[in-house]
């Protein structure tokens, strides 16, 4: 069964550094999402992406964040200058036409 | 705005006990409702869904009914197993437009043998 994959599974970085989190959505899906979950808190929506552009973003998704679909398979989330409060689990999700999203296993980002 | 409220955990049960995890929502329009499960060290897996009022979603012995009159989508299972130990998330899709998800806080379930 096709699944969403994410790399790396764990990323440790220093405050102020740039990180890129990578996702490979299910191949025939059209809509892509990033969510994050700070430890012990709820899963929060960051951004949705369709037809090579952002379709919606939350207040969390400020100028430090960007997303890209550089080729036909990858979907990336970049954080330009990480802060301590960016430490969280980041989930990628995708869907085709129905509203059911399929999630990847997540990338745990630790900012020191 | 739309929101999901989920009962606080952790919930600790003995094997074969009955499980209920409460979930209520606030929404304009007609969202779909979902339960996702997160096993230790893994991502979010779809457990079940319901797309309209009075729909019942079911999977692996779990059930939830979309109740518009009480704005609820409680998760139930008649007899839990140790392997059901996980974190359970209630979510709604947020139409129209991007159908982003709004999640509840998650409820950790621990089942003891």
């Amino acid at each position: 069964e096709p699944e969403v994959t994410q790399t790396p599974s764990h990323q440790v970085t220093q405050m102020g550094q740039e990180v890129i989190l990578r996702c490979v959505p299910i191949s025939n899906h059209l809509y892509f999402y990033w969510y994050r979950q700070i430890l012990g808190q709820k899963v929060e929506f960051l951004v949705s992406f369709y037809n090579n552009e952002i379709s919606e973003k939350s207040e969390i998704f400020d100028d430090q964040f960007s997303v890209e679909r550089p080729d036909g398979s990858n979907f990336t989330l970049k954080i330009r200058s990480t802060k301590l409060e960016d430490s969280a689990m980041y989930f990628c999700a995708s869907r085709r036409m129905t509203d059911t999203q399929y999630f990847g296993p997540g990338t745990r980002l630790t900012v020191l | 705005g739309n929101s999901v409220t989920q009962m606080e955990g952790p919930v600790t049960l003995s094997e074969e006990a009955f499980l209920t995890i409460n979930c209520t929502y606030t929404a304009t329009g007609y969202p779909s409702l979902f339960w996702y499960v997160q096993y230790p060290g893994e991502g979010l897996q779809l457990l079940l869904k319901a797309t309209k009022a009075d729909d019942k979603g079911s999977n692996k012995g779990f059930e939830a009914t979309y109740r518009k009159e009480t704005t609820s989508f409680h998760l139930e299972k008649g007899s839990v197993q140790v392997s059901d130990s996980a974190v359970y998330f209630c979510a709604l899709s947020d139409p129209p437009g991007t159908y982003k998800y709004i999640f509840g806080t998650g409820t950790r379930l621990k089942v003891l043998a």
Side-chain angles (χ1 to χ4, degrees):
Chain A
E1 185 176 323
E3 56 185 23
V4 177
T5 60
Q6 289 185 243
T7 55
S9 57
H10 191 191
Q11 173 93 47
V12 181
T13 190
Q14 295 292 323
M15 193 168 55
Q17 295 296 304
E18 174 183 287
V19 295
I20 298 176
L21 309 183
R22 290 184 166 79
C23 169
V24 179
I26 294 172
S27 63
N28 62 352
H29 283 192
L30 303 172
Y31 301 84
F32 312 107
Y33 303 82
W34 284 100
Y35 295 83
R36 80 170 186 192
Q37 183 184 27
I38 294 172
L39 189 63
Q41 298 186 25
K42 64 170 64 178
V43 178
E44 302 171 288
F45 167 76
L46 291 178
V47 66
S48 60
F49 193 86
Y50 169 71
N51 200 27
N52 279 320
E53 60 183 29
I54 291 173
S55 43
E56 186 176 353
K57 59 184 180 179
S58 72
E59 292 176 355
I60 302 166
F61 195 89
D62 61 21
D63 292 345
Q64 293 301 311
F65 291 87
S66 62
V67 289
E68 194 178 33
R69 189 155 162 82
D71 52 41
S73 58
N74 290 282
F75 179 50
T76 62
L77 174 69
K78 182 193 289 187
I79 309 175
R80 286 190 185 81
S81 179
T82 50
K83 308 184 192 68
L84 295 176
E85 55 264 36
D86 293 328
S87 294
M89 181 74 88
Y90 289 80
F91 291 106
C92 173
S94 68
R95 68 177 177 92
R96 184 161 167 76
M97 299 301 293
T98 72
D99 56 2
T100 302
Q101 294 179 29
Y102 295 86
F103 286 79
T107 293
R108 179 166 297 284
L109 176 65
T110 301
V111 182
L112 303 177
Chain B
N2 295 350
S3 65
V4 175
T5 301
Q6 207 174 321
M7 67 185 281
E8 294 284 331
V11 173
T12 303
L13 295 173
S14 298
E15 207 164 25
E16 299 183 4
F18 185 86
L19 169 71
T20 300
I21 300 177
N22 290 337
C23 171
T24 57
Y25 68 91
T26 302
T28 54
Y30 303 95
S32 295
L33 300 174
F34 304 85
W35 278 101
Y36 280 80
V37 58
Q38 185 179 32
Y39 297 103
E42 299 186 17
L44 299 167
Q45 299 177 23
L46 178 65
L47 183 59
L48 53 84
K49 65 178 279 191
T51 57
K52 60 184 188 296
D54 301 324
D55 261 5
K56 178 186 280 189
S58 60
N59 186 25
K60 299 180 183 179
F62 291 90
E63 292 182 341
T65 301
Y66 191 144
R67 301 274 188 214
K68 196 162 174 61
E69 64 275 12
T70 54
T71 63
S72 65
F73 192 56
H74 304 322
L75 182 69
E76 296 182 335
K77 186 176 186 184
S79 175
V80 293
Q81 306 299 312
V82 171
S83 57
D84 294 326
S85 298
V87 181
Y88 292 82
F89 291 92
C90 184
L92 63 79
S93 67
D94 191 26
T98 65
Y99 291 88
K100 68 178 186 288
Y101 279 8
I102 294 171
F103 283 89
T105 51
T107 302
R108 182 175 299 279
L109 170 66
K110 185 172 182 179
V111 181
L112 304 175

